[in-house]
Amino acid sequence: MDYSVQEIDGGIVVNFSGRMTLVDHDRFRSVIDSMEKMHGSRCIFDLAGLDFIDSSGLGMFLIARDIAMPRNVEIELRGATGSVRRVLQIAKFDTLFLVRD
Amino acid sequence: MLADPATIQADARRAPFTECRVLVVDASGSSRDELGRCLARIGLTRIDFAEDGEAGLARFAAAGADLVILDVDVPGMDGLELCRSIRRMPAGADLPVIIQTSPATDPAGVRSFEAGASDIIAKPINPGECMTRVRLHLEKQFLLRNLTDFHRRLEGELRLARSMQLSLIPDQRRISAVAARYGVELEGVFEPSDELGGDFWTLFELDADRLGILVADFSGHGISAAINTFRFHTLLERLPPHGYEPTEWLLMLNRPLKDLLPVGQFATCFYCIVDTRQGTLSYAAAGAPSPLLVGAGEATMLDASGLMLGITNSPMLTSDTVPFPPGATLLIYSDAMTEAVDGQGHLIGEPGLVRLATEAFQGGPGRLKRLLAAFDKVAQHPLADDLTAICISRSA
C-alpha cells in the first residue's frame, strides 16, 4: 500500500493506492499520526487507487475510526471500486463510515 | 573501578564460545605455538593440533570441531583439499574454516574461498587479526546455532498448536455421522495458510430435523487469529445456539466478542439452520462471503453482508429463510477462494467461483472434492489466506 496526505479546508484527504493487507500495519500507523495532528473534522480516505483490501485492511479503518470518534472527526470512505467496493458492501461499512462513490 | 555494564554484557554474550573446540592443522611447530597462544588469549582452551592434511582430516572425523584453522601448505593432502574434504562431511558443511594463505601463491585468497574457506588470514600471522577473526566466526556460529535451535523449537510448537486447532473443528468421522443422521451429503475442508489460521467451523445437532452450521473467520491470520478461534470455541460452549433464531444467537455471540477483541479485530460469521423436514435454510450473516446455493440448475449467491462481530454493540446483520429442497446444494466458503488469483493474475472472484462450482456440482456426491480440484488447477498457490469450505447437499 502507498498513501499520501493532503490538507484541505477543514480536514485532510488521505489517498490510498495498491493493496492494503496485514503487512501495511506499520505504515498505517503514520496515517493515524496524521489524523492525530490534523485540524478540522473531515477526514477523507480516497480509495480510488486501491486495488485490494483484506480483513486486516478493514481492521485498520476501524482503528482509524476509533481515533477519529473522540475527536469528533468523521471518516469518509470515497471512490472505492471493484473488489474493494464489494468488500465494503459485504461488511456493511456504510453503517460505520460515510461511504461515497 | 566498576566494570562498564555494557562490557559485562558483551562478555556474557561472548562467554559461550570459550567452550568451543578448535582444530589447528599446521606443519610448522612455531606456527602451531603462535596460533595456540592467540586462541588461549581469547579464552579458548580446547585446542587440537595436527601436522598434516590426512592427520587433520582423521582428527576432525574422530572428534569434530567448532572451528578449523588450517595452513594451505601442509604435507600430503594440502590445505585446499583438506578444506574440500571437510566441507563434504555433514558436520563440516556449515563449519567456520579459516585458511592461512600466502599472498604470493594465492593473492586475495581466491583459491581458498573456492575450496570452501569461510575466511582467510595472511601469513605471517598477525596475532591481533587472528584473534579477531576467530572470535568473529565463533560468535557468528553461536548466534546461528541459537537461531536454528529457536526455529526448530518454534516449528515443533506450531505443529502441536496446529493439531490442537484441527481438533476444534469436526473431523471426518463426525462429518460422516452427522451426514448419515440427517440424510444429507456433507463435506468440509480446512487449510490454514500458515501453520495456524483464523478460520473456524462447526456443526450443531439442534434436533432430529434441524442441523446448525457455523462458519467464522477472524481478521488477520497466524497466531493471533488462531488464539481468537480458541476463545470463540470456549464462547460457543458457554452460549450454545439451541432454541435461538440465527440472528438472535449471533447477536448474543457479538456482545462478549466486542469486549474480548481489541479495536481492529473482528470475526465474519455465517450461521445457518438446515431444516430437513420443512425443506428450508434459515441463516444470519455478519460480513461473510456470499454462500452459493445451487438447485434445479440455478446458482444463487445468498446475501451474507453485515457488520462483522466484535466491532459494535448492535451490528446490522443480514438474515433470510430460503427453500432448501431435496437436490439443493449449499457451498459456504472463506474469502480465500474468491480472493485467490488465476494464472494471469486476475482475481477469481464470485463469478469465477460460480463457474467452477456449477460445473463441479454436477454428478452427485464428491462435489466439494471436485470443486477444490478444479480450484487448485486455476488458483495460484500458495494461497494468501486460510481456506475453509463446507458443502451440504440434500439428496434428490
Side-chain angles (χ1 to χ4, degrees), chain A residues 19 21-22 25 51-67 82-84 86-87 89-96, chain B residues 217-221 263-266 286-290 301-308 311-312 316-318 335 339 341 347 350 384-385:
Chain A
R19 295 167 58 84
T21 65
L22 190 68
H25 251 291
D51 305 317
F52 177 82
I53 188 164
D54 71 357
S55 61
S56 306
L58 295 181
M60 291 179 228
F61 288 161
L62 294 172
I63 292 169
R65 178 174 172 270
D66 205 52
I67 298 295
S83 72
V84 177
R86 178 83 183 116
V87 166
Q89 273 170 359
I90 288 178
K92 286 216 192 304
F93 261 32
D94 58 341
T95 63
L96 298 181
Chain B
D217 180 354
F218 281 83
S219 55
H221 25 129
V263 174
Q265 288 184 16
F266 52 80
S290 313
M301 305 294 276
L302 300 180
D303 179 6
S305 64
L307 193 62
M308 298 81 94
I311 299 175
T312 65
M316 177 99 80
L317 305 181
T318 305
D335 45 15
E339 284 178 4
V341 290
L347 215 59
E350 292 174 350
D385 206 347

Side-chain angles (χ1 to χ4, degrees), chain B residues 229-303:
Chain B
T229 65
F230 283 91
R231 289 164 140 179
F232 192 55
H233 183 257
T234 312
L235 187 61
L236 296 179
E237 306 261 300
R238 215 173 72 210
L239 296 172
H242 307 78
Y244 299 105
E245 287 305 307
T247 308
E248 195 183 2
W249 185 53
L250 288 193
L251 290 173
M252 279 167 61
L253 294 177
N254 175 68
R255 256 165 262 144
L257 280 178
K258 166 81 172 67
D259 296 334
L260 213 58
L261 300 178
V263 174
Q265 288 184 16
F266 52 80
T268 70
C269 234
F270 179 83
Y271 173 59
C272 67
I273 299 175
V274 173
D275 190 323
T276 51
R277 199 158 59 95
Q278 306 268 356
T280 56
L281 178 81
S282 306
Y283 72 88
S290 313
L292 182 64
L293 183 61
V294 182
E298 212 173 298
T300 323
M301 305 294 276
L302 300 180
D303 179 6

Side-chain angles (χ1 to χ4, degrees), chain A residues 11-32:
Chain A
I12 56 171
V13 177
V14 188
N15 294 284
F16 292 94
S17 61
R19 295 167 58 84
M20 200 163 167
T21 65
L22 190 68
V23 297
D24 297 306
H25 251 291
D26 287 342
R27 194 168 298 174
F28 196 79
R29 185 66 236 172
S30 23
V31 175
I32 300 285

Side-chain angles (χ1 to χ4, degrees), chain B residues 312-377:
Chain B
T312 65
N313 285 319
S314 46
M316 177 99 80
L317 305 181
T318 305
S319 60
D320 203 356
T321 298
V322 295
F324 195 60
T329 298
L330 178 73
L331 173 73
I332 312 167
Y333 55 90
S334 62
D335 45 15
M337 289 203 85
T338 46
E339 284 178 4
V341 290
D342 65 16
Q344 282 79 49
H346 299 126
L347 215 59
I348 288 176
E350 292 174 350
L353 183 64
V354 171
R355 258 196 314 277
L356 291 173
T358 34
E359 185 160 334
F361 286 0
Q362 287 166 12
R367 293 174 183 84
L368 185 58
K369 209 172 155 193
R370 289 196 296 273
L371 170 62
L372 288 174
F375 173 78
D376 279 342
K377 256 185 234 159

